Amino acid sequence: MKSLKRPWQKRHLLVCTNARDPSTGKPSCGMNGALSLRDTLKKTVKERGLKGTVMVTGTGCLDICPAAGCAVAFYPEAEFFLAETDQTAADELLAKLVE
């Protein structure tokens, strides 16, 4: 196995985009607009010139299933946030990266 060097980021935002079958009656980030938040974060990272420093990735379940919004994890900090799925939430999440 060959080790790979990270050619990018200092920070990684993981956005849960898991979508459960609605018949389960359980909430999931995917059903709460997580794809929209992931796309907004990617666009905003690019617009702010953070590409290469911040990577945004959609993931499977992060085991934090909110009734509204979606789960986002910051790495390497291993901090988790519950976020709404709009531009304001994207701005707030990115602002936390520079605190």
Side-chain angles (χ1 to χ4, degrees), residues 1-82:
M1 177 181 341
K2 182 179 177 184
S3 176
L4 298 174
K5 292 185 180 182
R6 291 189 321 182
W8 40 265
Q9 334 36 36
K10 296 177 182 171
R11 299 259 174 75
H12 198 160
L13 276 67
L14 304 173
V15 180
C16 176
T17 57
N18 184 55
R20 283 196 178 99
D21 183 332
S23 69
T24 66
K26 295 179 182 178
S28 67
C29 298
M31 295 185 334
N32 293 338
L35 289 173
S36 175
L37 177 61
R38 183 205 58 199
D39 293 346
T40 300
L41 282 165
K42 284 182 171 235
K43 179 185 79 155
T44 305
V45 162
K46 186 176 181 179
E47 289 173 353
R48 293 187 183 178
L50 297 172
K51 194 169 180 179
T53 302
V54 176
M55 181 177 193
V56 179
T57 304
T59 70
C61 186
L62 296 173
D63 287 333
I64 302 172
C65 304
C70 66
V72 178
F74 285 11
Y75 278 89
E77 295 90 342
E79 289 185 76
F80 287 78
F81 298 91
L82 175 60

